[in-house]
Structures are given as structure tokens and as C-alpha cells.
Amino acid sequence: MSQNSHYEKWDRPPDPATMRPVQVYVIGQPGGAAPVKIGIAADVQARLHTLQIGSPVPLAVLHAIAFTVRDHARQLERMAHSSLNQKHSHGEWFAITGDEAVTLLAG
């Protein structure tokens, strides 16, 4: 593969196995206080429910972007995680506000 191979995958037709609709989401406290989780899921409400079970504070979906190609969602998620490396808390949680996460994903 060439040096720009990570861009070439956008030019190829997607693999049908990756065509399940998914969303890149931001989950955090209502009101958007830090920390927030940035991840991908086919069912964001189910993911919220799973996270809420282990959380001592109420959580909400603060933002979600739908994708028809899972690889495209993963690329956005990886970009966000990489950009926030210095704000990493644990797992996919970051010490930023919901508004900061939404701005990053929208950028």
C-alpha cells in the first residue's frame, strides 16, 4: 500500500459486512460536565443504558453522528481519541466537556 493508504480506503466501495449503521457518540453528564466518553455503537441508547448501570452519576447522550459505513465511524472515533490523547482519563473517557467533544467531532 502507498504512503497515503489510509485515504485510499475512502475511494474503494465499502465491504458489505461493514455496512451496518452505527453512530459516533458523546456520552456524559447532563449539562455536559467533564468527563465524557467518545465511542461508536449501533444502538446508542442501549450503550447509554449499559454505561449508566455502573455510573454513580446520571448520564445522557450529548451528541451522536450517524454513519452507514462502520469504517468511517471508526476513523472519526480514532481521530477524536488521538486528538484528545493529552486529555485521556481512562478507557474511552476524556477530561473535556460535552461542548468541547461536540466541537471536535463537528470540526
Side-chain angles (χ1 to χ4, degrees):
M1 295 186 113
S2 71
Q3 182 177 351
N4 293 325
S5 63
H6 60 283
Y7 293 111
E8 291 171 4
K9 72 179 177 181
W10 291 88
D11 297 330
R12 292 180 299 184
D15 178 350
T18 66
M19 291 296 292
R20 296 182 314 181
V22 296
Q23 295 181 44
V24 175
Y25 62 80
V26 177
I27 290 179
Q29 296 180 55
V36 297
K37 182 178 188 314
I38 300 173
I40 62 172
D43 185 340
V44 175
Q45 290 302 317
R47 185 69 180 123
L48 171 64
H49 178 74
T50 300
L51 292 168
Q52 187 62 73
I53 291 170
S55 177
V57 298
L59 297 173
V61 176
L62 304 176
H63 190 67
I65 302 170
F67 286 86
T68 56
V69 179
R70 180 176 287 274
D71 287 344
H72 296 176
R74 284 193 179 164
Q75 185 167 10
L76 178 60
E77 179 194 36
R78 285 185 193 126
M79 180 280 304
H81 289 180
S82 178
S83 296
L84 295 170
N85 190 37
Q86 301 224 359
K87 302 277 187 163
H88 182 250
S89 173
H90 62 283
E92 294 183 330
W93 291 86
F94 298 89
I96 61 171
T97 66
D99 287 343
E100 290 171 312
V102 170
T103 299
L104 174 68
L105 294 178

